[in-house]
């Protein structure tokens, strides 16, 4: 699924690492503020499940963004490879399929990137994923009730 014919990448040098950490530090601070907020909410007797879920969802979203940002320099071809894999699974280009197809493929590309990134963090190598993964991710996006109900998608004409 992922390209193996790209040239090997050099290790990051000290300057690149410092720049990356400098860009990530504000995100880490924001994430820690969210954790502190969640702990304070709980300590004050906050047991409202909806509010708690919103806090946790926000933290998870920020943590995923942080993980994607940190892994991007190490896997610079991931976005390109995921886009190609989703397009092959779809069997149609966004131009041929129209705006709805283009949006679904973009969402599927992002979701596939997330799955592969989390997999790497869990020590599952890209070659260990089944070949049907891009098609499964695209199928999940196409069948998602929440994506179909999104105002952007609902306003598109076939």
């Amino acid at each position: 699924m992922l390209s193996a014919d790209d040239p090997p990448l050099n290790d990051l040098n000290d300057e690149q690492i410092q720049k990356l950490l400098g860009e990530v530090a504000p995100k880490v601070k924001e994430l820690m503020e969210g954790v502190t907020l969640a702990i304070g909410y709980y300590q004050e007797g906050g047991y409202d499940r909806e509010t708690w879920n919103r806090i946790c969802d926000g933290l998870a979203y920020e943590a995923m963004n942080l993980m994607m940002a940190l892994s991007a320099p190490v896997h610079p071809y991931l976005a390109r490879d995921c886009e190609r894999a989703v397009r092959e699974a779809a069997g149609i280009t966004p131009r041929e399929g129209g705006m709805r197809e283009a949006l679904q493929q973009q969402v599927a590309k992002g979701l596939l990137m997330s799955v592969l990134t989390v997999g790497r963090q869990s020590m599952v190598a890209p070659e260990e994923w089944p070949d049907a993964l891009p098609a499964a991710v695209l199928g999940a996006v196409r069948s998602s009730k929440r994506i179909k109900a999104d105002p952007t998608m609902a306003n598109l004409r076939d």
Side-chain angles (χ1 to χ4, degrees):
M1 171 180 19
L2 297 181
S3 174
D5 54 346
D6 289 312
L9 301 170
N10 296 328
D11 288 339
L12 296 175
N13 62 37
D14 289 345
E15 184 179 312
Q16 291 169 320
I17 291 171
Q18 287 298 323
K19 182 177 183 195
L20 180 63
L21 292 176
E23 291 175 12
V24 169
K27 276 289 185 199
V28 171
K29 182 179 178 193
E30 185 179 322
L31 193 56
M32 292 310 299
E33 288 171 355
V35 169
T36 302
L37 173 70
I39 292 169
Y41 177 75
Y42 177 76
Q43 289 174 339
E44 292 295 321
Y47 298 108
D48 171 30
R49 187 169 299 271
E50 183 177 337
T51 302
W52 182 255
N53 285 342
R54 285 184 183 181
I55 291 171
C56 290
D57 285 348
L59 289 171
Y61 177 80
E62 290 302 324
M64 178 59 81
N65 284 340
L66 182 61
M67 187 168 52
M68 295 294 276
L70 286 170
S71 68
V74 183
H75 308 290
Y77 309 117
L78 183 63
R80 180 201 65 198
D81 291 346
C82 287
E83 184 172 348
R84 187 188 70 237
V86 166
R87 187 157 304 140
E88 287 173 6
I92 187 171
T93 67
R95 185 175 298 279
E96 295 167 336
M99 187 60 77
R100 183 180 306 273
E101 182 66 25
L103 289 172
Q104 288 176 342
Q105 286 189 27
Q106 277 299 106
V107 171
K109 175 186 104 173
L111 183 56
L112 182 59
M113 288 174 60
S114 297
V115 168
L116 292 172
T117 300
V118 170
R120 279 187 175 113
Q121 300 304 317
S122 304
M123 292 187 250
V124 178
E127 59 272 9
E128 295 170 334
W129 289 101
D131 291 337
L133 183 63
V137 168
L138 181 61
V141 167
R142 287 181 171 163
S143 64
S144 169
K145 293 176 185 172
R146 290 183 68 189
I147 291 174
K148 287 180 182 179
D150 184 86
T152 302
M153 290 297 229
N155 291 331
L156 293 175
R157 306 270 184 249
D158 287 326

